[in-house]
Amino acid sequence: SPQWEPSALAGELWESSPVQWLEVPGRSNKLAFKALKQAALPHSEAVVIVTGFNESLLKFVDLAADFHGAGFAVYLFDHSGQGLSEREACVPENRLQNAFVSSFQDCFVSDLIHIVDAHIAPQHPKVHVFAHSMGCLVTAHALSQRPELFGRVVMSAPAFSIVWGDKPPGLPAIGTKLLSFFGTGLGAQYRLAPAPGGELSWWNPHAPITGVLLTHNQERLRWYEDLRSQHPEIAMRGPSMGWLWEVTAAQDRLWTGDAVDRIQAPVLVLTAELDTIVHAEGQARFCRSTPRSTRVLVPGAYHELVFETPKIRNPVVAAALAWVKAPVQGPDPDPEHGEIQVVQRARQEQRLSGDAIVVQPQACGSKAVEPDTSLLASGAAFLGFGVPEDTGGAIVGLALIGAGAATATAIGLALLITRRQRL
Protein backbone atom coordinates (compact mmCIF):
# COMPACT_ATOMS: atom_id res chain seq x y z
CA SER A 1 0.00 0.00 0.00
CA PRO A 2 1.15 3.64 -0.53
CA GLN A 3 3.21 4.90 2.38
CA TRP A 4 1.84 7.61 4.63
CA GLU A 5 4.11 10.39 5.86
CA PRO A 6 3.63 13.51 7.99
CA SER A 7 2.52 16.64 6.17
CA ALA A 8 5.15 19.05 4.89
CA LEU A 9 4.06 21.56 7.55
CA ALA A 10 4.42 18.96 10.33
CA GLY A 11 7.81 17.92 8.99
CA GLU A 12 9.02 21.53 8.81
CA LEU A 13 7.92 22.17 12.39
CA TRP A 14 9.65 19.00 13.56
CA GLU A 15 12.93 19.88 11.88
CA SER A 16 12.86 23.39 13.34
CA SER A 17 13.98 22.10 16.73
CA PRO A 18 16.83 19.62 17.38
CA VAL A 19 16.72 16.75 19.83
CA GLN A 20 18.35 17.80 23.09
CA TRP A 21 19.96 15.61 25.76
CA LEU A 22 18.84 16.21 29.32
CA GLU A 23 20.70 15.20 32.44
CA VAL A 24 18.58 13.94 35.32
CA PRO A 25 19.49 14.05 39.02
CA GLY A 26 21.17 10.96 40.40
CA ARG A 27 21.83 9.12 37.11
CA SER A 28 24.41 9.24 34.35
CA ASN A 29 22.16 8.31 31.41
CA LYS A 30 20.77 11.26 29.47
CA LEU A 31 17.23 11.56 28.09
CA ALA A 32 16.25 12.59 24.57
CA PHE A 33 14.06 15.71 24.67
CA LYS A 34 12.40 17.91 22.05
CA ALA A 35 10.82 21.35 22.49
CA LEU A 36 8.49 22.84 19.87
CA LYS A 37 7.70 26.31 21.16
CA GLN A 38 5.34 28.99 19.87
CA ALA A 39 7.64 31.66 18.39
CA ALA A 40 4.99 34.37 18.56
CA LEU A 41 3.65 33.26 21.97
CA PRO A 42 6.62 32.26 24.11
CA HIS A 43 4.43 32.05 27.23
CA SER A 44 1.58 30.03 25.74
CA GLU A 45 0.16 27.01 27.54
CA ALA A 46 2.05 23.78 26.89
CA VAL A 47 1.36 20.11 26.20
CA VAL A 48 3.84 17.38 27.09
CA ILE A 49 3.49 14.08 25.20
CA VAL A 50 4.35 11.10 27.42
CA THR A 51 5.07 8.03 25.30
CA GLY A 52 4.38 4.37 26.01
CA PHE A 53 6.52 1.24 26.23
CA ASN A 54 8.79 0.61 23.24
CA GLU A 55 8.07 4.03 21.75
CA SER A 56 10.12 7.06 20.81
CA LEU A 57 9.33 10.73 20.45
CA LEU A 58 10.21 10.26 16.75
CA LYS A 59 6.86 8.53 16.31
CA PHE A 60 4.73 11.57 17.23
CA VAL A 61 5.59 14.08 14.50
CA ASP A 62 2.02 14.72 13.40
CA LEU A 63 0.47 14.66 16.89
CA ALA A 64 2.98 17.29 17.99
CA ALA A 65 1.94 19.37 14.96
CA ASP A 66 -1.75 18.97 15.90
CA PHE A 67 -1.21 20.43 19.37
CA HIS A 68 1.21 23.07 18.10
CA GLY A 69 -1.29 24.15 15.45
CA ALA A 70 -3.86 24.65 18.21
CA GLY A 71 -1.60 27.21 19.89
CA PHE A 72 0.31 25.07 22.42
CA ALA A 73 4.03 24.71 22.93
CA VAL A 74 4.75 20.99 22.66
CA TYR A 75 7.37 18.96 24.52
CA LEU A 76 8.34 15.31 24.07
CA PHE A 77 10.96 13.07 25.65
CA ASP A 78 11.99 9.42 25.59
CA HIS A 79 11.84 7.46 28.84
CA SER A 80 15.04 6.22 30.40
CA GLY A 81 16.21 3.02 28.72
CA GLN A 82 14.16 3.26 25.53
CA GLY A 83 13.85 5.22 22.32
CA LEU A 84 16.75 7.60 21.74
CA SER A 85 17.45 7.99 25.45
CA GLU A 86 20.54 6.37 26.91
CA ARG A 87 20.29 3.07 28.76
CA GLU A 88 21.12 2.91 32.45
CA ALA A 89 24.82 2.38 33.17
CA CYS A 90 24.16 -0.94 34.89
CA VAL A 91 22.72 -2.62 31.77
CA PRO A 92 25.18 -5.07 30.13
CA GLU A 93 26.28 -4.29 26.58
CA ASN A 94 24.53 -7.36 25.17
CA ARG A 95 21.20 -6.45 26.81
CA LEU A 96 20.83 -2.87 25.59
CA GLN A 97 17.84 -3.74 23.37
CA ASN A 98 15.98 -5.32 26.31
CA ALA A 99 13.66 -2.82 27.97
CA PHE A 100 14.92 -2.29 31.51
CA VAL A 101 14.25 0.14 34.34
CA SER A 102 15.87 -0.12 37.76
CA SER A 103 13.03 1.78 39.45
CA PHE A 104 9.68 2.84 38.02
CA GLN A 105 9.46 5.62 40.60
CA ASP A 106 13.06 6.89 40.54
CA CYS A 107 13.34 6.77 36.76
CA PHE A 108 10.01 7.06 34.93
CA VAL A 109 7.94 9.05 37.45
CA SER A 110 10.70 11.23 38.86
CA ASP A 111 11.99 11.96 35.35
CA LEU A 112 8.59 13.24 34.24
CA ILE A 113 8.23 15.44 37.32
CA HIS A 114 11.79 16.77 36.94
CA ILE A 115 11.37 17.57 33.24
CA VAL A 116 8.15 19.49 33.85
CA ASP A 117 9.53 21.36 36.85
CA ALA A 118 12.91 22.21 35.34
CA HIS A 119 12.31 22.56 31.61
CA ILE A 120 8.63 23.27 30.94
CA ALA A 121 6.61 24.81 33.78
CA PRO A 122 8.88 27.86 34.34
CA GLN A 123 8.07 29.08 30.82
CA HIS A 124 4.32 28.40 30.68
CA PRO A 125 1.29 29.35 32.80
CA LYS A 126 -0.25 25.89 32.41
CA VAL A 127 1.09 22.49 31.36
CA HIS A 128 -1.28 19.81 30.04
CA VAL A 129 -0.41 16.24 29.13
CA PHE A 130 -1.23 13.71 26.44
CA ALA A 131 -0.08 10.27 27.57
CA HIS A 132 -0.22 6.90 25.83
CA SER A 133 -0.30 3.38 27.27
CA MET A 134 2.54 2.97 29.82
CA GLY A 135 2.95 6.74 29.72
CA CYS A 136 -0.50 6.97 31.34
CA LEU A 137 0.69 4.83 34.27
CA VAL A 138 3.70 7.12 34.68
CA THR A 139 1.45 10.19 34.47
CA ALA A 140 -1.03 8.79 37.00
CA HIS A 141 1.72 8.25 39.59
CA ALA A 142 3.13 11.71 38.93
CA LEU A 143 -0.32 13.26 39.42
CA SER A 144 -0.88 11.25 42.59
CA GLN A 145 2.33 12.66 44.05
CA ARG A 146 1.92 16.16 42.57
CA PRO A 147 -1.79 16.84 41.93
CA GLU A 148 -1.05 20.37 40.69
CA LEU A 149 1.55 19.24 38.13
CA PHE A 150 -0.76 19.30 35.11
CA GLY A 151 -3.81 21.26 34.06
CA ARG A 152 -5.81 18.90 31.84
CA VAL A 153 -4.91 15.30 31.07
CA VAL A 154 -5.65 13.03 28.10
CA MET A 155 -4.89 9.33 28.51
CA SER A 156 -4.84 7.18 25.38
CA ALA A 157 -5.31 3.44 26.01
CA PRO A 158 -3.88 3.56 29.56
CA ALA A 159 -1.83 0.55 30.68
CA PHE A 160 -3.40 0.21 34.12
CA SER A 161 -4.08 -3.47 33.40
CA ILE A 162 -1.95 -5.14 30.73
CA VAL A 163 -2.46 -8.22 28.56
CA TRP A 164 1.01 -9.77 28.72
CA GLY A 165 2.31 -11.70 25.75
CA ASP A 166 1.90 -11.23 22.03
CA LYS A 167 -1.86 -11.68 22.10
CA PRO A 168 -4.55 -12.66 24.67
CA PRO A 169 -4.41 -14.53 26.92
CA GLY A 170 -0.62 -14.10 26.74
CA LEU A 171 1.37 -14.55 29.91
CA PRO A 172 -1.04 -14.60 32.90
CA ALA A 173 -0.53 -12.07 35.68
CA ILE A 174 0.56 -14.73 38.16
CA GLY A 175 3.25 -15.99 35.79
CA THR A 176 4.44 -12.47 35.01
CA LYS A 177 4.84 -11.54 38.66
CA LEU A 178 6.48 -14.78 39.73
CA LEU A 179 8.89 -14.87 36.79
CA SER A 180 9.90 -11.24 37.20
CA PHE A 181 10.23 -11.53 40.99
CA PHE A 182 12.42 -14.62 41.01
CA GLY A 183 14.26 -13.68 37.82
CA THR A 184 15.20 -10.32 39.32
CA GLY A 185 16.11 -11.89 42.64
CA LEU A 186 18.42 -14.37 40.91
CA GLY A 187 20.26 -11.68 38.99
CA ALA A 188 18.47 -12.16 35.68
CA GLN A 189 16.76 -8.76 35.74
CA TYR A 190 18.26 -7.72 32.41
CA ARG A 191 17.05 -10.83 30.57
CA LEU A 192 13.77 -11.30 28.77
CA ALA A 193 11.15 -13.45 30.48
CA PRO A 194 11.54 -17.09 29.31
CA ALA A 195 7.88 -17.36 28.32
CA PRO A 196 5.56 -16.60 25.37
CA GLY A 197 5.66 -12.90 24.67
CA GLY A 198 9.00 -12.43 26.44
CA GLU A 199 10.58 -11.57 23.11
CA LEU A 200 8.30 -9.50 20.89
CA SER A 201 7.59 -11.31 17.64
CA TRP A 202 7.77 -7.98 15.80
CA TRP A 203 10.81 -6.47 17.48
CA ASN A 204 13.23 -6.70 14.51
CA PRO A 205 13.64 -3.11 13.24
CA HIS A 206 14.59 -4.32 9.75
CA ALA A 207 11.56 -6.54 9.23
CA PRO A 208 7.83 -5.84 8.72
CA ILE A 209 5.70 -5.51 11.86
CA THR A 210 3.43 -8.55 11.96
CA GLY A 211 1.63 -10.63 14.56
CA VAL A 212 0.44 -7.69 16.66
CA LEU A 213 -2.69 -5.56 16.37
CA LEU A 214 -1.43 -2.00 16.75
CA THR A 215 -3.44 -0.14 14.10
CA HIS A 216 -5.69 -0.66 11.08
CA ASN A 217 -3.69 1.96 9.20
CA GLN A 218 -1.23 -0.03 7.13
CA GLU A 219 0.22 3.08 5.48
CA ARG A 220 1.24 4.55 8.83
CA LEU A 221 2.58 1.17 9.87
CA ARG A 222 4.86 1.08 6.80
CA TRP A 223 6.13 4.57 7.72
CA TYR A 224 6.83 3.38 11.27
CA GLU A 225 8.70 0.34 9.93
CA ASP A 226 10.92 2.67 7.89
CA LEU A 227 11.46 4.87 10.95
CA ARG A 228 12.59 1.87 13.00
CA SER A 229 14.88 0.76 10.22
CA GLN A 230 16.51 4.20 10.13
CA HIS A 231 16.79 4.27 13.95
CA PRO A 232 17.17 0.60 15.02
CA GLU A 233 18.06 1.63 18.57
CA ILE A 234 14.41 2.57 19.22
CA ALA A 235 13.19 -1.02 18.66
CA MET A 236 13.17 -2.98 21.92
CA ARG A 237 13.51 -6.76 21.85
CA GLY A 238 11.00 -7.04 24.70
CA PRO A 239 10.48 -6.26 28.40
CA SER A 240 13.17 -7.57 30.73
CA MET A 241 12.24 -9.35 33.95
CA GLY A 242 13.36 -6.26 35.87
CA TRP A 243 11.08 -4.07 33.76
CA LEU A 244 8.14 -6.44 34.26
CA TRP A 245 8.62 -6.43 38.02
CA GLU A 246 8.79 -2.65 38.26
CA VAL A 247 5.78 -2.02 36.01
CA THR A 248 3.49 -4.64 37.57
CA ALA A 249 4.41 -3.31 41.01
CA ALA A 250 3.59 0.22 39.83
CA GLN A 251 0.19 -0.99 38.62
CA ASP A 252 -0.49 -2.52 42.03
CA ARG A 253 0.64 0.63 43.88
CA LEU A 254 -1.83 2.74 41.92
CA TRP A 255 -4.67 1.05 43.82
CA THR A 256 -2.93 1.12 47.21
CA GLY A 257 -4.18 3.49 49.89
CA ASP A 258 -5.40 6.80 48.51
CA ALA A 259 -2.91 6.99 45.62
CA VAL A 260 -5.47 7.31 42.85
CA ASP A 261 -7.85 9.39 45.00
CA ARG A 262 -5.26 12.18 45.12
CA ILE A 263 -5.56 12.77 41.38
CA GLN A 264 -7.64 15.93 41.04
CA ALA A 265 -6.99 16.96 37.43
CA PRO A 266 -9.72 16.62 34.78
CA VAL A 267 -8.81 13.43 32.90
CA LEU A 268 -10.13 12.18 29.56
CA VAL A 269 -9.58 8.42 29.20
CA LEU A 270 -9.72 6.99 25.68
CA THR A 271 -10.62 3.29 25.56
CA ALA A 272 -9.87 1.46 22.31
CA GLU A 273 -12.65 -1.06 21.67
CA LEU A 274 -10.47 -3.74 20.03
CA ASP A 275 -7.37 -3.26 22.21
CA THR A 276 -5.35 -6.48 22.68
CA ILE A 277 -2.51 -4.81 24.60
CA VAL A 278 -4.33 -3.43 27.66
CA HIS A 279 -7.58 -4.25 29.48
CA ALA A 280 -10.43 -1.72 29.67
CA GLU A 281 -11.24 -2.89 33.21
CA GLY A 282 -8.25 -1.00 34.63
CA GLN A 283 -9.36 2.15 32.82
CA ALA A 284 -12.88 1.81 34.20
CA ARG A 285 -11.54 1.32 37.71
CA PHE A 286 -9.41 4.45 37.36
CA CYS A 287 -12.45 6.51 36.38
CA ARG A 288 -14.47 5.14 39.28
CA SER A 289 -11.71 6.18 41.65
CA THR A 290 -10.96 9.71 40.44
CA PRO A 291 -13.25 12.70 41.01
CA ARG A 292 -13.06 14.28 37.57
CA SER A 293 -12.56 11.65 34.88
CA THR A 294 -14.51 10.99 31.70
CA ARG A 295 -14.00 7.74 29.81
CA VAL A 296 -14.94 7.35 26.18
CA LEU A 297 -15.10 4.31 23.91
CA VAL A 298 -13.47 4.57 20.50
CA PRO A 299 -15.33 1.99 18.36
CA GLY A 300 -13.32 -0.29 16.11
CA ALA A 301 -9.94 0.99 17.33
CA TYR A 302 -6.78 -0.96 18.12
CA HIS A 303 -4.27 0.14 20.77
CA GLU A 304 -2.51 2.92 18.80
CA LEU A 305 -5.36 5.44 18.73
CA VAL A 306 -3.42 8.38 17.25
CA PHE A 307 -1.82 6.03 14.72
CA GLU A 308 -5.15 4.75 13.41
CA THR A 309 -7.06 5.35 10.18
CA PRO A 310 -8.39 8.92 9.71
CA LYS A 311 -11.94 7.78 10.53
CA ILE A 312 -10.72 6.76 13.99
CA ARG A 313 -7.82 9.14 14.56
CA ASN A 314 -9.48 12.41 13.58
CA PRO A 315 -12.27 12.26 16.22
CA VAL A 316 -9.70 11.15 18.83
CA VAL A 317 -7.46 14.14 18.11
CA ALA A 318 -10.48 16.49 18.01
CA ALA A 319 -11.62 15.24 21.42
CA ALA A 320 -8.09 15.60 22.85
CA LEU A 321 -7.69 19.15 21.51
CA ALA A 322 -11.10 20.23 22.82
CA TRP A 323 -10.27 18.75 26.21
CA VAL A 324 -6.94 20.55 26.72
CA LYS A 325 -8.21 23.85 25.27
CA ALA A 326 -11.03 24.11 27.84
CA PRO A 327 -10.35 26.14 31.03
CA VAL A 328 -9.25 23.84 33.84
CA GLN A 329 -11.72 25.37 36.30
CA GLY A 330 -14.55 25.41 33.76
CA PRO A 331 -16.93 22.61 32.74
CA ASP A 332 -15.43 19.66 30.91
CA PRO A 333 -16.14 19.73 27.16
CA ASP A 334 -18.22 17.11 25.40
CA PRO A 335 -15.71 14.55 24.05
CA GLU A 336 -18.19 12.84 21.71
CA HIS A 337 -16.69 13.48 18.29
CA GLY A 338 -17.50 11.25 15.35
CA GLU A 339 -18.40 7.79 16.69
CA ILE A 340 -16.71 8.29 20.07
CA GLN A 341 -19.12 7.50 22.91
CA VAL A 342 -18.99 8.55 26.56
CA VAL A 343 -19.27 5.42 28.71
CA GLN A 344 -18.25 6.76 32.11
CA ARG A 345 -18.18 10.12 33.86
CA ALA A 346 -16.69 11.29 37.15
CA ARG A 347 -16.99 8.47 39.67
CA GLN A 348 -20.51 7.01 39.46
CA GLU A 349 -22.05 9.22 36.75
CA GLN A 350 -21.91 6.55 34.04
CA ARG A 351 -23.97 5.89 30.97
CA LEU A 352 -24.30 2.14 31.15
CA SER A 353 -25.25 1.41 27.57
CA GLY A 354 -21.79 2.16 26.20
CA ASP A 355 -19.99 -0.45 28.28
CA ALA A 356 -21.94 -3.30 26.78
CA ILE A 357 -19.86 -2.78 23.66
CA VAL A 358 -16.54 -3.46 25.39
CA VAL A 359 -16.07 -7.17 25.97
CA GLN A 360 -14.26 -7.00 29.30
CA PRO A 361 -14.77 -8.76 32.67
CA GLN A 362 -15.75 -5.56 34.51
CA ALA A 363 -18.53 -3.29 33.25
CA CYS A 364 -18.05 0.28 34.40
CA GLY A 365 -21.58 0.54 35.73
CA SER A 366 -21.44 -2.55 37.95
CA LYS A 367 -22.04 -2.24 41.66
CA ALA A 368 -19.00 -1.24 43.71
CA VAL A 369 -17.96 -4.00 46.14
CA GLU A 370 -15.99 -3.49 49.31
CA PRO A 371 -12.72 -5.40 48.83
CA ASP A 372 -11.76 -8.40 50.93
CA THR A 373 -8.72 -7.08 52.77
CA SER A 374 -7.68 -10.32 54.46
CA LEU A 375 -4.03 -11.33 54.06
CA LEU A 376 -4.82 -14.33 51.90
CA ALA A 377 -7.25 -12.44 49.70
CA SER A 378 -4.62 -9.73 49.30
CA GLY A 379 -2.20 -12.43 48.24
CA ALA A 380 -4.66 -13.52 45.57
CA ALA A 381 -4.90 -9.94 44.32
CA PHE A 382 -1.10 -9.66 44.21
CA LEU A 383 -0.93 -12.75 42.05
CA GLY A 384 -3.31 -11.12 39.61
CA PHE A 385 -6.62 -12.78 40.46
CA GLY A 386 -9.77 -10.94 41.43
CA VAL A 387 -11.95 -12.69 44.01
CA PRO A 388 -15.71 -12.68 43.23
CA GLU A 389 -18.04 -11.20 45.82
CA ASP A 390 -19.67 -14.54 46.59
CA THR A 391 -16.38 -16.48 46.90
CA GLY A 392 -14.45 -17.03 50.10
CA GLY A 393 -11.44 -14.77 49.63
CA ALA A 394 -9.32 -16.62 52.14
CA ILE A 395 -9.93 -20.00 50.50
CA VAL A 396 -9.17 -18.71 47.02
CA GLY A 397 -6.15 -16.81 48.28
CA LEU A 398 -4.75 -19.86 50.07
CA ALA A 399 -5.13 -22.03 46.99
CA LEU A 400 -3.54 -19.46 44.72
CA ILE A 401 -0.65 -18.70 47.05
CA GLY A 402 0.04 -22.42 47.42
CA ALA A 403 0.03 -22.88 43.68
CA GLY A 404 2.15 -19.77 43.27
CA ALA A 405 4.74 -21.01 45.78
CA ALA A 406 5.05 -24.30 43.94
CA THR A 407 5.39 -22.52 40.61
CA ALA A 408 7.95 -20.11 42.02
CA THR A 409 10.04 -22.96 43.42
CA ALA A 410 10.06 -24.70 40.06
CA ILE A 411 11.01 -21.49 38.25
CA GLY A 412 13.77 -20.72 40.73
CA LEU A 413 15.26 -24.18 40.46
CA ALA A 414 15.08 -24.10 36.69
CA LEU A 415 16.88 -20.76 36.54
CA LEU A 416 19.57 -21.91 38.94
CA ILE A 417 20.19 -25.24 37.24
CA THR A 418 20.07 -24.27 33.59
CA ARG A 419 21.79 -20.85 33.82
CA ARG A 420 20.80 -20.27 30.25
CA GLN A 421 22.30 -17.16 28.71
CA ARG A 422 19.07 -16.02 27.21
CA LEU A 423 18.48 -12.56 25.80
Side-chain angles (χ1 to χ4, degrees), residues 89-260:
C90 59
V91 179
E93 189 72 24
N94 64 337
R95 313 287 185 191
L96 294 178
Q97 293 303 105
N98 295 354
F100 173 80
V101 63
S102 59
S103 168
F104 189 94
Q105 170 61 40
D106 294 342
C107 293
F108 293 162
V109 179
S110 293
D111 286 353
L112 174 58
I113 294 173
H114 169 74
I115 287 172
V116 173
D117 282 345
H119 301 280
I120 303 176
Q123 307 171 55
H124 303 281
K126 191 71 66 178
V127 181
H128 310 287
V129 61
F130 180 97
H132 174 63
S133 197
M134 185 198 76
C136 300
L137 184 62
V138 176
T139 300
H141 278 282
L143 278 169
S144 176
Q145 295 163 32
R146 291 277 303 280
E148 82 294 348
L149 190 65
F150 296 116
R152 285 184 169 272
V153 179
V154 179
M155 293 187 173
S156 169
F160 300 142
S161 177
I162 299 178
V163 181
W164 294 112
D166 285 336
K167 58 188 68 175
L171 186 63
I174 181 174
T176 300
K177 291 178 179 178
L178 289 172
L179 277 173
S180 60
F181 175 77
F182 282 93
T184 299
L186 292 167
Q189 65 267 34
Y190 307 114
R191 301 185 188 182
L192 305 182
E199 179 176 272
L200 301 176
S201 62
W202 50 279
W203 87 270
N204 188 342
H206 303 296
I209 296 175
T210 60
V212 60
L213 302 177
L214 297 177
T215 174
H216 292 87
N217 195 328
Q218 295 303 306
E219 295 180 17
R220 277 182 179 262
L221 201 60
R222 299 290 84 79
W223 174 82
Y224 185 44
E225 290 171 352
D226 284 352
L227 181 69
R228 285 165 29 113
S229 181
Q230 295 167 28
H231 302 274
E233 69 274 22
I234 72 174
M236 308 307 296
R237 188 179 288 271
S240 67
M241 284 187 273
W243 187 97
L244 287 172
W245 174 251
E246 287 295 324
V247 172
T248 54
Q251 290 173 327
D252 292 339
R253 287 198 303 273
L254 191 61
W255 316 117
T256 302
D258 63 345
V260 75

Side-chain angles (χ1 to χ4, degrees), residues 6-129:
S7 69
L9 194 61
E12 182 180 343
L13 170 67
W14 190 261
E15 295 300 328
S16 68
S17 172
V19 173
Q20 304 172 47
W21 300 95
L22 302 184
E23 295 183 354
V24 291
R27 293 204 318 278
S28 61
N29 61 316
K30 297 178 181 179
L31 305 184
F33 175 79
K34 198 173 186 74
L36 301 170
K37 301 180 181 180
Q38 293 285 342
L41 298 168
H43 300 293
S44 66
E45 294 188 356
V47 171
V48 57
I49 296 175
V50 185
T51 63
F53 163 67
N54 199 16
E55 289 188 319
S56 171
L57 56 82
L58 296 174
K59 183 179 176 182
F60 293 92
V61 176
D62 58 330
L63 184 64
D66 290 330
F67 283 114
H68 193 273
F72 296 95
V74 182
Y75 296 86
L76 310 91
F77 70 98
D78 281 349
H79 296 291
S80 173
Q82 71 174 47
L84 299 177
S85 289
E86 295 176 352
R87 279 41 174 171
E88 292 185 55
C90 59
V91 179
E93 189 72 24
N94 64 337
R95 313 287 185 191
L96 294 178
Q97 293 303 105
N98 295 354
F100 173 80
V101 63
S102 59
S103 168
F104 189 94
Q105 170 61 40
D106 294 342
C107 293
F108 293 162
V109 179
S110 293
D111 286 353
L112 174 58
I113 294 173
H114 169 74
I115 287 172
V116 173
D117 282 345
H119 301 280
I120 303 176
Q123 307 171 55
H124 303 281
K126 191 71 66 178
V127 181
H128 310 287
V129 61

Side-chain angles (χ1 to χ4, degrees), residues 255 260 280-290 344 362:
W255 316 117
V260 75
E281 62 181 287
Q283 300 161 16
R285 182 178 182 183
F286 177 86
C287 288
R288 287 197 302 271
S289 305
T290 48
Q344 194 172 5
Q362 176 75 44

